Amino acid sequence: MKHSYREEYTPVGDIQTYLLTYPAAQGKPVLLFLHGGPGVSECYAAYAYHELLGDACTLIFYDQRGAGRTLRRNPHAPVSLGLILDDLDALIHLLQSRYPDSPFILMGHSWGTVPGALYALQHPESIARYIGMGQVVSMAESARVACAALRKVLNVCASPHDRARFNALLPYPPAHWDRPSLEHAMLVQALCHKYGLREPNPVPMAPVMRHSPTFTLRDYLDGERGAQHNMPFLCAMANTFDLAAFPAAWRVPVTFITGGCDYITPLLPVQHYFEQMAAAEKQLIVMEDCGHCPMFDQPEKFREILLGQIQKTENEGV
C-alpha cells in the first residue's frame, strides 16, 4: 500500500512537537492517537494503522513531551500529567483549525489512555468520541490482578526456579512504587508471558519497525531514552493515578477495547469501571485471545471494530 504522509514539528505550548499525519479527504473524521509509555513513541506503527483504515479517516500520531522526536527536539522540557494535558488541548485546537469540518476521535493506547480519558472527561466539547485501547484504570490494581493470576498459575505448573524468582519479589505489588519495583513489574510480566498469561503470539515489533517508512535506528534509541527519562514520572503515576477517583460522567461516546489475555492492563479493573461509569453511549469490546496490542494480534477484527467506530462518528456528524 502506498503511504502518503506528512512529518513536521509544530509549536505546541512551550515545546516543538513532532506530528506524523496520514491525510484523508476533507471532512473525514480525524483520529488522533495517544501513544503509550509514558515516553515511548508509537509512530513506528502509524503506517500499519493506515494500512488497516485506509482513507476512512485522517490519522495523526504525535510524540508527547518526553517521548521520541519531541524529546529529541526538547531534551530539557519538564514532564507532568498537567503539562501533557495542556499540550493535548493546544494540539487539538491547532488541528481543529486545520480540519474545521472534521469530527475528532481521540484514541489512547496503554499509558495514552490516561491523558486520553482525562481529556475526554474534561473537554467533551472538543472531541466527538473517545476510544481507550488497553485502558488504564489504576496501575496498582492492574498489578494486583496480574499478580493474583500469575500466583495461581505458578502454584500449578511453574518450575521451582520460577516460583523462587516470584516469591523473592513479594510483597507485590509494592505499597510504594519506585525504580526497583518497576523492574520487578517487568519480571512479573516476563513470567506472565512465559506461563501463558499474555497474548498467544509475541507482538512482531521488529518487522513492524523495519517496514515503517519513517522509523530509524535513532528513533529506536530515542525510545530507550524516553523510557528512562520518564521513569520518575511513571513511578509518580503508579503511586497516584486512579481513574475511578475522577467524576465518571462521560459526555462523549466512549469505547474501551481490551484484550482478553492482557495482563498489563487487565480486563477486570476495566469491567468494574465500565459498570460504574455514566455515559449516554458506552461500549466495552473484549477481544479474546488478544493481549495488550490487539491491533497486531487480530488485525482484521481490530480493523472491523475501528472502522465501525469511525463510521458511527462520521454519521453522527452529518
Side-chain angles (χ1 to χ4, degrees), residues 134-150 172-173 177 185 188-189 192 238 241-242 262-270 292:
Q135 179 65 49
V136 175
V137 175
S138 163
M139 298 181 194
E141 182 61 23
S142 291
R144 278 191 286 271
V145 171
C147 183
L150 179 60
Y172 182 89
W177 290 90
V188 168
Q189 287 301 319
C192 283
F241 181 76
D242 184 353
D262 184 356
Y263 282 91
I264 295 177
T265 53
L267 173 60
L268 191 59
V270 181
H292 194 55

PDB file of all heavy atoms in Angstrom, residues 134-150 172-173 177 185 188-189 192 238 241-242 262-270 292:
ATOM      1  N   GLY A 134      -6.575  -0.891  25.793  1.00  0.00           N
ATOM      2  CA  GLY A 134      -5.716  -1.179  26.941  1.00  0.00           C
ATOM      3  C   GLY A 134      -5.879  -0.080  27.972  1.00  0.00           C
ATOM      4  O   GLY A 134      -4.889   0.481  28.457  1.00  0.00           O
ATOM      5  N   GLN A 135      -7.150   0.224  28.320  1.00  0.00           N
ATOM      6  CA  GLN A 135      -7.445   1.351  29.194  1.00  0.00           C
ATOM      7  C   GLN A 135      -6.826   1.166  30.578  1.00  0.00           C
ATOM      8  O   GLN A 135      -6.990   0.129  31.218  1.00  0.00           O
ATOM      9  CB  GLN A 135      -8.963   1.524  29.341  1.00  0.00           C
ATOM     10  CG  GLN A 135      -9.380   2.663  30.254  1.00  0.00           C
ATOM     11  CD  GLN A 135      -8.985   4.026  29.704  1.00  0.00           C
ATOM     12  OE1 GLN A 135      -9.240   4.336  28.548  1.00  0.00           O
ATOM     13  NE2 GLN A 135      -8.379   4.858  30.543  1.00  0.00           N
ATOM     14  N   VAL A 136      -6.120   2.191  31.038  1.00  0.00           N
ATOM     15  CA  VAL A 136      -5.580   2.208  32.390  1.00  0.00           C
ATOM     16  C   VAL A 136      -6.649   2.759  33.327  1.00  0.00           C
ATOM     17  O   VAL A 136      -7.159   3.859  33.111  1.00  0.00           O
ATOM     18  CB  VAL A 136      -4.311   3.077  32.482  1.00  0.00           C
ATOM     19  CG1 VAL A 136      -3.843   3.175  33.931  1.00  0.00           C
ATOM     20  CG2 VAL A 136      -3.207   2.523  31.595  1.00  0.00           C
ATOM     21  N   VAL A 137      -7.007   2.000  34.337  1.00  0.00           N
ATOM     22  CA  VAL A 137      -7.896   2.481  35.394  1.00  0.00           C
ATOM     23  C   VAL A 137      -7.068   2.801  36.628  1.00  0.00           C
ATOM     24  O   VAL A 137      -7.095   3.907  37.152  1.00  0.00           O
ATOM     25  CB  VAL A 137      -8.992   1.445  35.700  1.00  0.00           C
ATOM     26  CG1 VAL A 137      -9.842   1.906  36.893  1.00  0.00           C
ATOM     27  CG2 VAL A 137      -9.878   1.218  34.469  1.00  0.00           C
ATOM     28  N   SER A 138      -6.325   1.819  37.099  1.00  0.00           N
ATOM     29  CA  SER A 138      -5.399   2.002  38.216  1.00  0.00           C
ATOM     30  C   SER A 138      -4.210   1.099  37.959  1.00  0.00           C
ATOM     31  O   SER A 138      -4.367  -0.120  37.806  1.00  0.00           O
ATOM     32  CB  SER A 138      -6.070   1.633  39.548  1.00  0.00           C
ATOM     33  OG  SER A 138      -5.103   1.424  40.555  1.00  0.00           O
ATOM     34  N   MET A 139      -3.024   1.670  37.904  1.00  0.00           N
ATOM     35  CA  MET A 139      -1.837   0.856  37.670  1.00  0.00           C
ATOM     36  C   MET A 139      -1.616  -0.116  38.817  1.00  0.00           C
ATOM     37  O   MET A 139      -1.215  -1.273  38.601  1.00  0.00           O
ATOM     38  CB  MET A 139      -0.624   1.758  37.475  1.00  0.00           C
ATOM     39  CG  MET A 139      -0.736   2.668  36.260  1.00  0.00           C
ATOM     40  SD  MET A 139       0.731   3.713  36.032  1.00  0.00           S
ATOM     41  CE  MET A 139       0.104   4.897  34.826  1.00  0.00           C
ATOM     42  N   ALA A 140      -1.893   0.320  40.035  1.00  0.00           N
ATOM     43  CA  ALA A 140      -1.723  -0.560  41.188  1.00  0.00           C
ATOM     44  C   ALA A 140      -2.700  -1.718  41.128  1.00  0.00           C
ATOM     45  O   ALA A 140      -2.344  -2.873  41.401  1.00  0.00           O
ATOM     46  CB  ALA A 140      -1.893   0.232  42.478  1.00  0.00           C
ATOM     47  N   GLU A 141      -3.960  -1.444  40.761  1.00  0.00           N
ATOM     48  CA  GLU A 141      -4.957  -2.510  40.673  1.00  0.00           C
ATOM     49  C   GLU A 141      -4.634  -3.476  39.542  1.00  0.00           C
ATOM     50  O   GLU A 141      -4.803  -4.694  39.666  1.00  0.00           O
ATOM     51  CB  GLU A 141      -6.352  -1.917  40.490  1.00  0.00           C
ATOM     52  CG  GLU A 141      -7.477  -2.934  40.437  1.00  0.00           C
ATOM     53  CD  GLU A 141      -7.590  -3.759  41.707  1.00  0.00           C
ATOM     54  OE1 GLU A 141      -7.132  -3.314  42.778  1.00  0.00           O
ATOM     55  OE2 GLU A 141      -8.144  -4.877  41.623  1.00  0.00           O
ATOM     56  N   SER A 142      -4.155  -2.949  38.410  1.00  0.00           N
ATOM     57  CA  SER A 142      -3.741  -3.824  37.305  1.00  0.00           C
ATOM     58  C   SER A 142      -2.639  -4.772  37.761  1.00  0.00           C
ATOM     59  O   SER A 142      -2.647  -5.965  37.429  1.00  0.00           O
ATOM     60  CB  SER A 142      -3.246  -2.982  36.125  1.00  0.00           C
ATOM     61  OG  SER A 142      -4.315  -2.271  35.526  1.00  0.00           O
ATOM     62  N   ALA A 143      -1.694  -4.261  38.532  1.00  0.00           N
ATOM     63  CA  ALA A 143      -0.604  -5.098  39.037  1.00  0.00           C
ATOM     64  C   ALA A 143      -1.124  -6.162  39.988  1.00  0.00           C
ATOM     65  O   ALA A 143      -0.661  -7.315  39.970  1.00  0.00           O
ATOM     66  CB  ALA A 143       0.447  -4.227  39.729  1.00  0.00           C
ATOM     67  N   ARG A 144      -2.110  -5.820  40.826  1.00  0.00           N
ATOM     68  CA  ARG A 144      -2.680  -6.804  41.757  1.00  0.00           C
ATOM     69  C   ARG A 144      -3.377  -7.932  41.002  1.00  0.00           C
ATOM     70  O   ARG A 144      -3.234  -9.117  41.346  1.00  0.00           O
ATOM     71  CB  ARG A 144      -3.671  -6.116  42.712  1.00  0.00           C
ATOM     72  CG  ARG A 144      -3.001  -5.431  43.884  1.00  0.00           C
ATOM     73  CD  ARG A 144      -4.002  -4.994  44.923  1.00  0.00           C
ATOM     74  NE  ARG A 144      -4.775  -3.829  44.486  1.00  0.00           N
ATOM     75  CZ  ARG A 144      -4.405  -2.578  44.688  1.00  0.00           C
ATOM     76  NH1 ARG A 144      -3.260  -2.309  45.291  1.00  0.00           N
ATOM     77  NH2 ARG A 144      -5.161  -1.580  44.276  1.00  0.00           N
ATOM     78  N   VAL A 145      -4.141  -7.576  39.974  1.00  0.00           N
ATOM     79  CA  VAL A 145      -4.851  -8.592  39.195  1.00  0.00           C
ATOM     80  C   VAL A 145      -3.863  -9.510  38.488  1.00  0.00           C
ATOM     81  O   VAL A 145      -4.016 -10.744  38.485  1.00  0.00           O
ATOM     82  CB  VAL A 145      -5.801  -7.917  38.178  1.00  0.00           C
ATOM     83  CG1 VAL A 145      -6.383  -8.940  37.211  1.00  0.00           C
ATOM     84  CG2 VAL A 145      -6.929  -7.183  38.904  1.00  0.00           C
ATOM     85  N   ALA A 146      -2.834  -8.923  37.871  1.00  0.00           N
ATOM     86  CA  ALA A 146      -1.833  -9.732  37.179  1.00  0.00           C
ATOM     87  C   ALA A 146      -1.103 -10.645  38.163  1.00  0.00           C
ATOM     88  O   ALA A 146      -0.844 -11.819  37.866  1.00  0.00           O
ATOM     89  CB  ALA A 146      -0.844  -8.821  36.449  1.00  0.00           C
ATOM     90  N   CYS A 147      -0.778 -10.128  39.326  1.00  0.00           N
ATOM     91  CA  CYS A 147      -0.054 -10.905  40.326  1.00  0.00           C
ATOM     92  C   CYS A 147      -0.900 -12.083  40.821  1.00  0.00           C
ATOM     93  O   CYS A 147      -0.397 -13.203  40.966  1.00  0.00           O
ATOM     94  CB  CYS A 147       0.336 -10.009  41.496  1.00  0.00           C
ATOM     95  SG  CYS A 147       1.306 -10.827  42.780  1.00  0.00           S
ATOM     96  N   ALA A 148      -2.186 -11.847  41.062  1.00  0.00           N
ATOM     97  CA  ALA A 148      -3.065 -12.916  41.542  1.00  0.00           C
ATOM     98  C   ALA A 148      -3.196 -14.021  40.496  1.00  0.00           C
ATOM     99  O   ALA A 148      -3.163 -15.218  40.830  1.00  0.00           O
ATOM    100  CB  ALA A 148      -4.437 -12.347  41.893  1.00  0.00           C
ATOM    101  N   ALA A 149      -3.349 -13.630  39.232  1.00  0.00           N
ATOM    102  CA  ALA A 149      -3.459 -14.623  38.163  1.00  0.00           C
ATOM    103  C   ALA A 149      -2.163 -15.410  38.018  1.00  0.00           C
ATOM    104  O   ALA A 149      -2.179 -16.636  37.836  1.00  0.00           O
ATOM    105  CB  ALA A 149      -3.819 -13.936  36.846  1.00  0.00           C
ATOM    106  N   LEU A 150      -1.039 -14.708  38.112  1.00  0.00           N
ATOM    107  CA  LEU A 150       0.255 -15.373  37.975  1.00  0.00           C
ATOM    108  C   LEU A 150       0.486 -16.339  39.131  1.00  0.00           C
ATOM    109  O   LEU A 150       0.989 -17.459  38.934  1.00  0.00           O
ATOM    110  CB  LEU A 150       1.370 -14.342  37.916  1.00  0.00           C
ATOM    111  CG  LEU A 150       2.795 -14.881  37.803  1.00  0.00           C
ATOM    112  CD1 LEU A 150       2.973 -15.728  36.539  1.00  0.00           C
ATOM    113  CD2 LEU A 150       3.803 -13.727  37.818  1.00  0.00           C
ATOM    114  N   TYR A 172       4.170  -8.089  46.628  1.00  0.00           N
ATOM    115  CA  TYR A 172       3.957  -7.445  45.334  1.00  0.00           C
ATOM    116  C   TYR A 172       2.455  -7.435  45.053  1.00  0.00           C
ATOM    117  O   TYR A 172       1.802  -8.434  45.302  1.00  0.00           O
ATOM    118  CB  TYR A 172       4.694  -8.204  44.220  1.00  0.00           C
ATOM    119  CG  TYR A 172       4.549  -7.554  42.852  1.00  0.00           C
ATOM    120  CD1 TYR A 172       5.445  -6.584  42.429  1.00  0.00           C
ATOM    121  CD2 TYR A 172       3.493  -7.892  42.025  1.00  0.00           C
ATOM    122  CE1 TYR A 172       5.298  -5.983  41.189  1.00  0.00           C
ATOM    123  CE2 TYR A 172       3.335  -7.286  40.789  1.00  0.00           C
ATOM    124  CZ  TYR A 172       4.236  -6.336  40.368  1.00  0.00           C
ATOM    125  OH  TYR A 172       4.089  -5.716  39.158  1.00  0.00           O
ATOM    126  N   PRO A 173       1.931  -6.313  44.537  1.00  0.00           N
ATOM    127  CA  PRO A 173       2.622  -5.059  44.216  1.00  0.00           C
ATOM    128  C   PRO A 173       3.066  -4.320  45.472  1.00  0.00           C
ATOM    129  O   PRO A 173       2.529  -4.539  46.548  1.00  0.00           O
ATOM    130  CB  PRO A 173       1.562  -4.250  43.456  1.00  0.00           C
ATOM    131  CG  PRO A 173       0.306  -4.996  43.527  1.00  0.00           C
ATOM    132  CD  PRO A 173       0.502  -6.285  44.173  1.00  0.00           C
ATOM    133  N   TRP A 177       5.628   2.592  44.714  1.00  0.00           N
ATOM    134  CA  TRP A 177       6.376   2.262  43.507  1.00  0.00           C
ATOM    135  C   TRP A 177       7.624   3.129  43.391  1.00  0.00           C
ATOM    136  O   TRP A 177       7.585   4.340  43.617  1.00  0.00           O
ATOM    137  CB  TRP A 177       5.513   2.480  42.263  1.00  0.00           C
ATOM    138  CG  TRP A 177       4.405   1.496  42.125  1.00  0.00           C
ATOM    139  CD1 TRP A 177       3.135   1.608  42.625  1.00  0.00           C
ATOM    140  CD2 TRP A 177       4.457   0.229  41.453  1.00  0.00           C
ATOM    141  NE1 TRP A 177       2.397   0.494  42.310  1.00  0.00           N
ATOM    142  CE2 TRP A 177       3.167  -0.366  41.588  1.00  0.00           C
ATOM    143  CE3 TRP A 177       5.449  -0.449  40.759  1.00  0.00           C
ATOM    144  CZ2 TRP A 177       2.869  -1.612  41.041  1.00  0.00           C
ATOM    145  CZ3 TRP A 177       5.156  -1.694  40.216  1.00  0.00           C
ATOM    146  CH2 TRP A 177       3.879  -2.264  40.359  1.00  0.00           C
ATOM    147  N   ALA A 185       8.149  -5.316  38.250  1.00  0.00           N
ATOM    148  CA  ALA A 185       6.965  -5.429  37.394  1.00  0.00           C
ATOM    149  C   ALA A 185       7.324  -6.024  36.043  1.00  0.00           C
ATOM    150  O   ALA A 185       6.546  -6.806  35.467  1.00  0.00           O
ATOM    151  CB  ALA A 185       6.309  -4.056  37.214  1.00  0.00           C
ATOM    152  N   VAL A 188       7.554  -9.710  36.548  1.00  0.00           N
ATOM    153  CA  VAL A 188       6.207 -10.291  36.639  1.00  0.00           C
ATOM    154  C   VAL A 188       5.614 -10.456  35.249  1.00  0.00           C
ATOM    155  O   VAL A 188       5.034 -11.501  34.920  1.00  0.00           O
ATOM    156  CB  VAL A 188       5.301  -9.416  37.527  1.00  0.00           C
ATOM    157  CG1 VAL A 188       3.829  -9.834  37.393  1.00  0.00           C
ATOM    158  CG2 VAL A 188       5.739  -9.506  38.985  1.00  0.00           C
ATOM    159  N   GLN A 189       5.776  -9.426  34.402  1.00  0.00           N
ATOM    160  CA  GLN A 189       5.239  -9.521  33.048  1.00  0.00           C
ATOM    161  C   GLN A 189       5.955 -10.604  32.242  1.00  0.00           C
ATOM    162  O   GLN A 189       5.333 -11.303  31.434  1.00  0.00           O
ATOM    163  CB  GLN A 189       5.352  -8.163  32.344  1.00  0.00           C
ATOM    164  CG  GLN A 189       4.358  -7.125  32.849  1.00  0.00           C
ATOM    165  CD  GLN A 189       2.915  -7.573  32.676  1.00  0.00           C
ATOM    166  OE1 GLN A 189       2.552  -8.146  31.653  1.00  0.00           O
ATOM    167  NE2 GLN A 189       2.095  -7.314  33.684  1.00  0.00           N
ATOM    168  N   CYS A 192       4.439 -13.783  33.357  1.00  0.00           N
ATOM    169  CA  CYS A 192       3.093 -13.881  32.767  1.00  0.00           C
ATOM    170  C   CYS A 192       3.188 -14.382  31.329  1.00  0.00           C
ATOM    171  O   CYS A 192       2.421 -15.256  30.900  1.00  0.00           O
ATOM    172  CB  CYS A 192       2.395 -12.527  32.807  1.00  0.00           C
ATOM    173  SG  CYS A 192       1.745 -12.037  34.420  1.00  0.00           S
ATOM    174  N   ALA A 238       2.065   5.638  38.925  1.00  0.00           N
ATOM    175  CA  ALA A 238       1.723   4.350  39.523  1.00  0.00           C
ATOM    176  C   ALA A 238       1.265   4.527  40.970  1.00  0.00           C
ATOM    177  O   ALA A 238       0.377   3.806  41.448  1.00  0.00           O
ATOM    178  CB  ALA A 238       2.911   3.397  39.456  1.00  0.00           C
ATOM    179  N   PHE A 241      -2.290   7.578  40.347  1.00  0.00           N
ATOM    180  CA  PHE A 241      -3.393   7.660  39.387  1.00  0.00           C
ATOM    181  C   PHE A 241      -4.435   6.570  39.618  1.00  0.00           C
ATOM    182  O   PHE A 241      -4.122   5.390  39.736  1.00  0.00           O
ATOM    183  CB  PHE A 241      -2.885   7.559  37.953  1.00  0.00           C
ATOM    184  CG  PHE A 241      -4.012   7.660  36.949  1.00  0.00           C
ATOM    185  CD1 PHE A 241      -4.581   8.893  36.665  1.00  0.00           C
ATOM    186  CD2 PHE A 241      -4.532   6.524  36.340  1.00  0.00           C
ATOM    187  CE1 PHE A 241      -5.643   8.994  35.774  1.00  0.00           C
ATOM    188  CE2 PHE A 241      -5.581   6.613  35.440  1.00  0.00           C
ATOM    189  CZ  PHE A 241      -6.140   7.850  35.161  1.00  0.00           C
ATOM    190  N   ASP A 242      -5.696   7.003  39.644  1.00  0.00           N
ATOM    191  CA  ASP A 242      -6.839   6.091  39.699  1.00  0.00           C
ATOM    192  C   ASP A 242      -7.980   6.774  38.958  1.00  0.00           C
ATOM    193  O   ASP A 242      -8.510   7.786  39.418  1.00  0.00           O
ATOM    194  CB  ASP A 242      -7.225   5.797  41.147  1.00  0.00           C
ATOM    195  CG  ASP A 242      -8.353   4.763  41.255  1.00  0.00           C
ATOM    196  OD1 ASP A 242      -8.920   4.382  40.211  1.00  0.00           O
ATOM    197  OD2 ASP A 242      -8.664   4.345  42.381  1.00  0.00           O
ATOM    198  N   ASP A 262      -4.780  -9.736  28.192  1.00  0.00           N
ATOM    199  CA  ASP A 262      -3.937  -8.594  28.555  1.00  0.00           C
ATOM    200  C   ASP A 262      -3.741  -8.571  30.062  1.00  0.00           C
ATOM    201  O   ASP A 262      -4.712  -8.390  30.812  1.00  0.00           O
ATOM    202  CB  ASP A 262      -4.602  -7.297  28.077  1.00  0.00           C
ATOM    203  CG  ASP A 262      -3.754  -6.059  28.337  1.00  0.00           C
ATOM    204  OD1 ASP A 262      -2.688  -6.182  28.960  1.00  0.00           O
ATOM    205  OD2 ASP A 262      -4.172  -4.965  27.897  1.00  0.00           O
ATOM    206  N   TYR A 263      -2.514  -8.747  30.517  1.00  0.00           N
ATOM    207  CA  TYR A 263      -2.218  -8.640  31.940  1.00  0.00           C
ATOM    208  C   TYR A 263      -1.289  -7.462  32.230  1.00  0.00           C
ATOM    209  O   TYR A 263      -0.685  -7.396  33.293  1.00  0.00           O
ATOM    210  CB  TYR A 263      -1.655  -9.958  32.481  1.00  0.00           C
ATOM    211  CG  TYR A 263      -2.774 -10.958  32.702  1.00  0.00           C
ATOM    212  CD1 TYR A 263      -3.146 -11.834  31.685  1.00  0.00           C
ATOM    213  CD2 TYR A 263      -3.493 -10.974  33.884  1.00  0.00           C
ATOM    214  CE1 TYR A 263      -4.191 -12.727  31.860  1.00  0.00           C
ATOM    215  CE2 TYR A 263      -4.540 -11.851  34.074  1.00  0.00           C
ATOM    216  CZ  TYR A 263      -4.888 -12.733  33.060  1.00  0.00           C
ATOM    217  OH  TYR A 263      -5.945 -13.601  33.237  1.00  0.00           O
ATOM    218  N   ILE A 264      -1.212  -6.515  31.279  1.00  0.00           N
ATOM    219  CA  ILE A 264      -0.599  -5.218  31.553  1.00  0.00           C
ATOM    220  C   ILE A 264      -1.696  -4.257  32.006  1.00  0.00           C
ATOM    221  O   ILE A 264      -1.578  -3.581  33.027  1.00  0.00           O
ATOM    222  CB  ILE A 264       0.144  -4.689  30.314  1.00  0.00           C
ATOM    223  CG1 ILE A 264       1.317  -5.604  29.972  1.00  0.00           C
ATOM    224  CG2 ILE A 264       0.646  -3.255  30.551  1.00  0.00           C
ATOM    225  CD1 ILE A 264       2.065  -5.213  28.719  1.00  0.00           C
ATOM    226  N   THR A 265      -2.781  -4.201  31.236  1.00  0.00           N
ATOM    227  CA  THR A 265      -3.997  -3.502  31.662  1.00  0.00           C
ATOM    228  C   THR A 265      -5.124  -4.532  31.617  1.00  0.00           C
ATOM    229  O   THR A 265      -5.870  -4.604  30.642  1.00  0.00           O
ATOM    230  CB  THR A 265      -4.307  -2.302  30.750  1.00  0.00           C
ATOM    231  OG1 THR A 265      -4.332  -2.735  29.368  1.00  0.00           O
ATOM    232  CG2 THR A 265      -3.261  -1.220  30.902  1.00  0.00           C
ATOM    233  N   PRO A 266      -5.262  -5.339  32.669  1.00  0.00           N
ATOM    234  CA  PRO A 266      -6.187  -6.471  32.626  1.00  0.00           C
ATOM    235  C   PRO A 266      -7.652  -6.048  32.516  1.00  0.00           C
ATOM    236  O   PRO A 266      -8.039  -4.917  32.832  1.00  0.00           O
ATOM    237  CB  PRO A 266      -5.936  -7.182  33.957  1.00  0.00           C
ATOM    238  CG  PRO A 266      -4.641  -6.654  34.465  1.00  0.00           C
ATOM    239  CD  PRO A 266      -4.522  -5.272  33.928  1.00  0.00           C
ATOM    240  N   LEU A 267      -8.452  -7.005  32.081  1.00  0.00           N
ATOM    241  CA  LEU A 267      -9.870  -6.757  31.836  1.00  0.00           C
ATOM    242  C   LEU A 267     -10.630  -6.407  33.108  1.00  0.00           C
ATOM    243  O   LEU A 267     -11.497  -5.522  33.085  1.00  0.00           O
ATOM    244  CB  LEU A 267     -10.490  -7.997  31.175  1.00  0.00           C
ATOM    245  CG  LEU A 267     -12.009  -7.994  30.977  1.00  0.00           C
ATOM    246  CD1 LEU A 267     -12.452  -6.831  30.099  1.00  0.00           C
ATOM    247  CD2 LEU A 267     -12.469  -9.327  30.382  1.00  0.00           C
ATOM    248  N   LEU A 268     -10.344  -7.076  34.217  1.00  0.00           N
ATOM    249  CA  LEU A 268     -11.176  -6.942  35.417  1.00  0.00           C
ATOM    250  C   LEU A 268     -11.324  -5.506  35.912  1.00  0.00           C
ATOM    251  O   LEU A 268     -12.460  -5.040  36.141  1.00  0.00           O
ATOM    252  CB  LEU A 268     -10.630  -7.845  36.527  1.00  0.00           C
ATOM    253  CG  LEU A 268     -11.530  -8.023  37.755  1.00  0.00           C
ATOM    254  CD1 LEU A 268     -12.889  -8.603  37.370  1.00  0.00           C
ATOM    255  CD2 LEU A 268     -10.844  -8.926  38.790  1.00  0.00           C
ATOM    256  N   PRO A 269     -10.252  -4.724  36.091  1.00  0.00           N
ATOM    257  CA  PRO A 269     -10.452  -3.327  36.517  1.00  0.00           C
ATOM    258  C   PRO A 269     -11.239  -2.504  35.505  1.00  0.00           C
ATOM    259  O   PRO A 269     -12.012  -1.617  35.889  1.00  0.00           O
ATOM    260  CB  PRO A 269      -9.013  -2.799  36.669  1.00  0.00           C
ATOM    261  CG  PRO A 269      -8.172  -4.003  36.855  1.00  0.00           C
ATOM    262  CD  PRO A 269      -8.817  -5.075  36.027  1.00  0.00           C
ATOM    263  N   VAL A 270     -11.053  -2.786  34.221  1.00  0.00           N
ATOM    264  CA  VAL A 270     -11.795  -2.060  33.179  1.00  0.00           C
ATOM    265  C   VAL A 270     -13.279  -2.395  33.280  1.00  0.00           C
ATOM    266  O   VAL A 270     -14.145  -1.511  33.181  1.00  0.00           O
ATOM    267  CB  VAL A 270     -11.253  -2.394  31.778  1.00  0.00           C
ATOM    268  CG1 VAL A 270     -12.019  -1.623  30.706  1.00  0.00           C
ATOM    269  CG2 VAL A 270      -9.766  -2.085  31.690  1.00  0.00           C
ATOM    270  N   HIS A 292      -2.038  -7.061  24.949  1.00  0.00           N
ATOM    271  CA  HIS A 292      -2.045  -5.615  25.156  1.00  0.00           C
ATOM    272  C   HIS A 292      -2.089  -4.836  23.843  1.00  0.00           C
ATOM    273  O   HIS A 292      -2.387  -3.647  23.854  1.00  0.00           O
ATOM    274  CB  HIS A 292      -0.791  -5.232  25.961  1.00  0.00           C
ATOM    275  CG  HIS A 292      -0.825  -3.862  26.538  1.00  0.00           C
ATOM    276  ND1 HIS A 292      -1.848  -3.406  27.351  1.00  0.00           N
ATOM    277  CD2 HIS A 292       0.066  -2.820  26.433  1.00  0.00           C
ATOM    278  CE1 HIS A 292      -1.595  -2.166  27.715  1.00  0.00           C
ATOM    279  NE2 HIS A 292      -0.453  -1.777  27.174  1.00  0.00           N
TER     280      HIS A 292
END
